[in-house]
Amino acid sequence: MKLLRAAVLASTILCAAACTSAPEQAAEGEARSSDGREYLSQPLVSEIYTADPSAHVFDGRMYIYASHDIDGPTPEDDLGSHFEMRDYRVLSMDRVGAPVTVHPVALDVDQVPWAARQMWAPDAAFKNGTYYLYFPAKDKQGVFRIGVATSDSPTGPFTPDPQPIPGSFSIDPAVFTDDDGASYMYFGGIWGGQLQRWATGNYQANGSKTDLEQPDQPALMPKIARMDGGMKTFSEAPRDVQILDEAGKPILGGDTDRRFFEAAWMHKYNGKYYLSYSTGDTHYLVYATGDSPYGPFTYRGRILEPVEGWTTHHSIVEQGGKWWLFYADTQLSGQTRLRNVKVTELTYNPDGTIRTISPFK
Ligand code: FUB
């Protein structure tokens, strides 16, 4: 494994500009997980470590906006201090299975006047001839905010706005554009994502460290705000996205197999809105469906069983008449903080429910 890490580092240096690799050639990690299970999919790239993949099809090509993991010195903790990412690099491919290009740095933390550290899970959108990169980072006070940067190319380089999006907070932006052209940002994450510190509406630096710690109360919900036409500001104050159980009651904080933790994603299938997210410390990707982008959403089940590694974060996108689940695990490194993006096909049952995927064969 040490040799593999040295090889990855060497190829990262060689690939300072742009590299292309076929996914089948990227399978340099252990063939099986530490407990002997065979992986369902292989890493999309091995030149760099990547996670939190937000995939989009722009002009017929698949682009993946991912976190760029690095090996920093900070010990692991419950607040994710060990995720010390500093920049973003876009991946792209013609279609799933085709060679993958690792593009040069699209945005670096040093270019963002308000950001200090921890460039976490990003997303992107395209509107009116401009590509928008949305990204969370801690500001100089250690508070997560969400920034926006623009480019005339889907791979950047992106130019950041000097301030974060007004009214934004917490992490994991996901921007969804509906059939009528209206765009919405979903965001939020508990524990290290700080959503619990905003429970009163203002940031409480000394508030609960991880979540509300009220297992019998409704869980914290992801936030939604409609974007204005310029795609750089919210046109309304962020509001809660309700996630309900089969009886129509809010999912409770103690229901850790089903409650929202982080990594919200929205897609539309056969006219229904599918809100998917990570349950964090129970390591599932799950989903809920509704009839409006605002919800409410009713919990439906699991999309992905736990991957190898602590985090699980995904996106769902259609290309070539098939639906794809992008996710990540730690196959290449065996370390929580050094993840690698993967993809597999996602399928629906005739009633619109999603078939649960195991990340192992
Ligand atoms: O990659 C850093 C953080 O870990 C992301 O923002 C979360 O979704 C989790 O994957």
Side-chain angles (χ1 to χ4, degrees):
M1 188 55 75
K2 272 189 187 145
L3 272 180
L4 168 68
R5 290 187 56 199
V8 167
L9 185 65
S11 70
T12 301
I13 293 162
L14 288 172
C15 289
C19 288
T20 300
S21 70
E24 54 272 22
Q25 291 164 358
E28 293 174 28
E30 303 292 345
R32 290 177 182 270
S33 66
S34 48
D35 58 5
R37 292 179 291 173
E38 198 180 342
Y39 298 104
L40 175 67
S41 310
Q42 292 300 320
L44 275 182
V45 297
S46 59
E47 294 93 329
I48 58 172
Y49 291 110
T50 54
D52 309 325
S54 292
H56 292 274
V57 177
F58 293 135
D59 212 8
R61 187 170 170 89
M62 183 79 78
Y63 294 90
I64 301 140
Y65 299 85
S67 296
H68 175 196
D69 283 355
I70 53 170
D71 196 3
T74 307
E76 283 188 27
D77 64 20
D78 279 348
L79 300 180
S81 308
H82 45 294
F83 294 119
E84 299 172 272
M85 300 83 97
R86 299 189 48 84
D87 62 22
Y88 297 108
R89 297 186 63 176
V90 182
L91 313 180
S92 73
M93 55 190 171
D94 277 340
R95 56 180 167 73
V96 172
V100 181
T101 301
V102 182
H103 295 273
V105 172
L107 181 69
D108 185 280
V109 67
D110 287 343
Q111 297 169 256
V112 185
W114 61 268
R117 60 201 163 97
Q118 290 182 291
M119 305 281 268
W120 282 14
D123 191 23
F126 175 70
K127 201 170 256 187
N128 302 328
T130 298
Y131 294 90
Y132 297 85
L133 179 71
Y134 300 97
F135 58 96
K138 278 188 181 156
D139 67 14
K140 288 164 181 139
Q141 286 71 46
V143 180
F144 267 117
R145 304 281 181 182
I146 296 170
V148 58
T150 55
S151 177
D152 55 13
S153 160
T155 58
F158 287 87
T159 304
D161 274 18
Q163 298 293 333
I165 295 175
S168 71
F169 53 92
S170 197
I171 60 166
D172 291 1
V175 173
F176 164 76
T177 299
D178 208 346
D179 302 330
D180 63 1
S183 297
Y184 305 85
M185 181 183 287
Y186 299 83
F187 63 94
I190 62 173
W191 293 32
Q194 302 179 340
L195 193 57
Q196 68 282 355
R197 296 187 183 175
W198 292 90
T200 61
N202 295 309
Y203 184 75
Q204 307 285 325
N206 298 319
S208 170
K209 236 180 133 191
T210 52
D211 58 27
L212 281 184
E213 285 146 16
Q214 294 174 343
D216 300 332
Q217 296 299 310
L220 285 166
M221 302 287 170
K223 300 284 181 183
I224 182 173
R226 186 170 168 159
M227 306 299 295
D228 91 342
M231 297 292 278
K232 289 182 161 192
T233 56
F234 298 150
S235 64
E236 60 186 2
R239 46 175 124 163
D240 282 350
V241 177
Q242 292 298 326
I243 306 171
L244 310 176
D245 65 15
E246 54 290 342
K249 302 251 171 56
I251 299 273
L252 301 181
D255 189 351
T256 54
D257 280 0
R258 301 195 295 175
R259 63 98 165 81
F260 171 74
F261 190 101
E262 62 188 6
W265 185 259
M266 170 58 59
H267 77 281
K268 203 171 178 183
Y269 175 76
N270 280 349
K272 279 264 180 203
Y273 296 86
Y274 285 66
L275 173 74
S276 44
Y277 55 93
S278 166
T279 65
D281 55 342
T282 49
H283 315 292
Y284 300 116
L285 288 176
V286 300
Y287 73 107
T289 60
D291 296 317
S292 151
Y294 288 103
F297 296 94
T298 303
Y299 180 88
R300 295 287 178 206
R302 286 184 197 161
I303 296 173
L304 186 69
E305 299 289 358
V307 296
E308 192 174 43
W310 200 97
T311 64
T312 189
H313 187 128
H314 72 301
S315 59
I316 296 169
V317 67
E318 185 183 19
Q319 190 192 33
K322 291 184 172 183
W323 286 88
W324 302 101
L325 175 75
F326 286 80
Y327 63 105
D329 67 14
T330 57
Q331 176 179 347
L332 288 178
S333 74
Q335 295 187 63
T336 305
R337 71 181 79 204
L338 297 175
R339 299 161 289 179
N340 47 257
V341 167
K342 297 184 165 184
V343 62
T344 191
E345 189 176 353
L346 174 141
T347 54
Y348 299 85
N349 294 304
D351 65 359
T353 53
I354 292 174
R355 292 198 186 114
T356 305
I357 297 166
S358 166
F360 301 97
K361 285 181 183 163

